[in-house]
Amino acid sequence: MDPRIEEYLSENREHHLDELKQLLAIPSVSALPEHKQDIQRAAQWLAESLKRAGMEQVKVMPTKGNPVVYGEWLKAEGKPTVLIYGHYDVQPVDPLELWETPPFEPDIRDGQIFARGASDDKGQTFMHIKALETILRTTGSLRLNFKFCLEGEEEIGSPNLEEFVAEHKDLLAADVLVISDTSMLGRGKPAICYGLRGLCGLQIDVTGAKADLHSGLFGGAVQNPIHALVELLASMRNKDGQITINGFYDRVLPLTEEEKEAFRALNTDEEQTRKDLQVPDLFGEKGYTMVERTWARPTLEINGIYGGFQGEGIKTVIPSQAHAKITCRLVPDQDPEEILALIEEHVRTHTPPGVTVEVKRFDKGRPFITPIDHPAIQAAARAYEKVFGVTPAFTRMGGSIPIVETFDRLLHLPIVLMGFSYPDDNFHAPNEHFHLECFDNGLRTLCYYWYELEQAIG
């Protein structure tokens, strides 16, 4: 890498941080309608930032919801194209009283910048713009072609991005997609995420009598919907943590021996995790480690259960209804629609007598995985190692980023997840922050990566 790049990053560090503060000061909360104008402001700010960085054909493109910001630099004739994805919307800030400083008044203290969106995902998206700007300002050119797709609805599930990508496949066509919206394992422990779990959600509504009944007059004569719901839910998992839905595991891809060895090499301290969580024991599917359970095995979790009298004291009723909310984390090659259908069939065949049951479907997202031996992944590993001085871990993530699978399915390109935040950066929580060492090292890593990637696939 050209030594002028390191010098430029050092000389312009304070200027870059001042610019980042401007972006973080915009309250672009996608979940709240009152911030609609702030969403537009953030999109326009990013468009201007892309132009200043040297990107061309920059435009704020409408969707049925919040706009997508697009920009490109396509002057590396005959070279591959990189698509960079990020999001500029942020989570709500509640509870506000738990913030030490106002969430949209960025504050640098103790080597960290505090603001909503600092790590998720404005800070990391901003780094991509500055990395390319740095290379262009110092060398005058880029060795690869680049496109940006920056959206404003990720924090509400990207409801309009799939349609946008489908309609603009030619515009977004690329050879590799790079996303920085994940985290490292910890300080000095870079990680490349090569797999994400998928997601499906549903609600079960159990109905008995037409209204709540007096438990003295009707107890023992009619089915209690809460009892029926508990029985139904209990039938979905056994004491060994295995899901008993018929066919649930049929499409699950087993871990390779190489993956198992990579997971073991992380030396995850399960006992420390137990202590940190303050639980008497960890629990999960028998025969798997905690890392394997959370990264590479599917789950079925009851997220909420309610019905009957909830007030203080006792009210002697048999409730008319009971409800449960369930989500499943899915792994390759599970299909959310198929899993939902299997659960619905299980509900039909296991519904206790005396009640009717309705299932409502909610969020869906497919799992994603990229082979860790792909040249784009290996190039990322070399870039991390040059900056951090250690070989990065190859990890999966227990959570879900549904749009990643959408890009994979619609654009048919490898996806590299290069995160630079720390797991305890409080994303989605009060006092979200981004360590400045992550900002500095992330910028350098990205600059190295483009050189490594050009050597690998150019």
Side-chain angles (χ1 to χ4, degrees):
M1 187 173 73
D2 194 310
R4 291 175 295 177
I5 291 175
E6 295 266 11
E7 182 180 351
Y8 183 91
L9 288 173
S10 178
E11 291 177 350
N12 289 272
R13 182 176 188 264
E14 293 307 313
H15 175 64
H16 290 163
L17 289 175
D18 286 341
E19 284 190 286
L20 177 57
K21 286 181 179 180
Q22 294 175 26
L23 177 59
L24 295 175
I26 303 173
S28 49
V29 182
S30 53
L32 302 176
E34 58 264 35
H35 288 290
K36 196 72 175 177
Q37 291 303 313
D38 297 315
I39 287 283
Q40 298 294 327
R41 285 174 54 209
Q44 291 294 338
W45 192 98
L46 283 171
E48 293 303 317
S49 182
L50 287 171
K51 291 176 184 176
R52 290 194 301 270
M55 299 299 108
E56 301 175 345
Q57 301 299 320
V58 176
K59 44 195 169 184
V60 177
M61 304 180 69
T63 71
K64 290 180 179 178
N66 298 333
V68 169
V69 182
Y70 176 84
E72 65 184 32
W73 191 95
L74 304 177
K75 297 180 180 180
E77 187 175 348
K79 293 293 184 177
T81 298
V82 177
L83 176 63
I84 297 172
Y85 164 86
H87 67 90
Y88 61 87
D89 65 318
V90 299
Q91 282 278 323
V93 299
D94 303 286
L96 185 60
E97 66 272 12
L98 296 183
W99 286 80
E100 294 182 22
T101 53
F104 296 111
E105 296 180 16
D107 181 58
I108 294 179
R109 60 183 187 272
D110 302 324
Q112 302 158 81
I113 184 166
F114 287 79
R116 173 59 88 224
S119 57
D120 181 22
D121 180 43
K122 287 181 177 178
Q124 301 198 68
T125 296
F126 176 79
M127 284 160 47
H128 277 283
I129 300 174
K130 292 296 115 176
L132 295 187
E133 178 184 296
T134 296
I135 297 173
L136 280 171
R137 295 275 176 89
T138 55
T139 70
S141 186
L142 300 172
R143 295 190 178 189
L144 297 165
N145 297 298
F146 289 89
K147 297 177 179 179
F148 280 86
C149 177
L150 310 179
E151 71 149 324
E153 296 184 328
E154 195 273 345
E155 298 293 7
I156 55 172
S158 303
N160 296 294
L161 191 59
E162 180 166 347
E163 181 177 337
F164 178 87
V165 174
E167 291 177 353
H168 298 90
K169 287 196 288 188
D170 291 340
L171 180 69
L172 299 175
D175 298 285
V176 61
L177 172 65
V178 177
I179 301 174
S180 295
D181 195 15
T182 52
S183 62
M184 302 194 295
L185 289 177
R187 184 158 298 181
K189 297 179 179 179
I192 299 171
C193 181
Y194 69 94
L196 299 165
R197 289 199 289 190
L199 175 73
C200 65
L202 63 146
Q203 178 172 311
I204 297 177
D205 300 315
V206 180
T207 302
K210 63 180 181 179
D212 288 357
L213 301 175
H214 190 293
S215 66
L217 297 178
F218 292 96
V222 297
Q223 177 68 278
N224 185 317
I226 294 180
H227 282 292
L229 178 60
V230 169
E231 180 181 337
L232 179 58
L233 296 176
S235 72
M236 295 182 180
R237 194 173 74 174
N238 65 23
K239 63 182 178 61
D240 290 325
Q242 296 158 338
I243 298 160
T244 54
I245 307 293
N246 187 40
F248 188 88
Y249 293 106
D250 285 358
R251 293 183 182 271
V252 174
L253 290 181
L255 282 165
T256 65
E257 287 304 317
E258 290 79 9
E259 287 177 308
K260 290 181 179 179
E261 180 57 36
F263 290 179
R264 284 192 291 268
L266 297 175
N267 294 317
T268 302
D269 190 338
E270 294 193 11
E271 176 60 18
Q272 186 59 51
T273 299
R274 184 195 68 77
K275 291 178 180 178
D276 291 343
L277 297 177
Q278 299 181 22
V279 293
D281 297 289
L282 296 181
F283 178 81
E285 187 181 359
K286 188 176 182 180
Y288 296 91
T289 67
M290 185 185 75
V291 170
E292 290 171 343
R293 292 169 185 161
T294 55
W295 287 359
R297 297 297 295 173
T299 65
L300 185 150
E301 298 290 351
I302 301 167
N303 308 121
I305 183 168
Y306 56 101
F309 179 63
Q310 304 292 316
E312 185 176 350
I314 294 292
K315 184 179 181 183
T316 54
V317 295
I318 298 172
S320 171
Q321 296 183 342
H323 313 270
K325 296 180 184 293
I326 293 174
T327 54
C328 296
R329 296 291 177 171
L330 309 178
V331 298
D333 281 337
Q334 289 181 302
D335 178 85
E337 293 287 352
E338 183 176 300
I339 293 299
L340 287 169
L342 291 175
I343 296 173
E344 288 170 344
E345 177 62 23
H346 183 93
V347 169
R348 281 193 292 271
T349 59
H350 288 76
T351 295
V355 294
T356 57
V357 178
E358 181 182 0
V359 176
K360 298 176 183 176
R361 296 186 178 191
F362 289 110
D363 296 352
K364 297 185 293 291
R366 291 174 178 267
F368 161 79
I369 193 167
T370 289
I372 61 177
D373 60 355
H374 191 282
I377 294 278
Q378 292 300 314
R382 292 191 296 274
Y384 272 116
E385 189 166 1
K386 284 185 176 180
V387 174
F388 288 86
V390 297
T391 302
F394 292 100
T395 68
R396 296 197 195 185
M397 192 168 80
S400 308
I401 308 178
I403 196 59
V404 171
E405 187 279 332
T406 299
F407 277 115
D408 178 52
R409 176 165 37 88
L410 294 178
L411 300 183
H412 309 291
L413 75 179
I415 301 174
V416 183
L417 297 168
M418 298 181 69
F420 299 99
S421 64
Y422 289 147
D424 58 355
D425 279 353
N426 286 10
F427 20 82
H428 292 205
N431 300 307
E432 179 181 350
H433 55 277
F434 194 34
H435 286 73
L436 297 189
E437 64 183 5
C438 294
F439 179 79
D440 296 333
N441 288 332
L443 275 170
R444 295 173 62 221
T445 301
L446 290 173
C447 289
Y448 272 108
Y449 180 50
W450 305 133
Y451 283 85
E452 291 289 341
L453 187 61
E454 191 269 336
Q455 294 294 317
I457 68 173

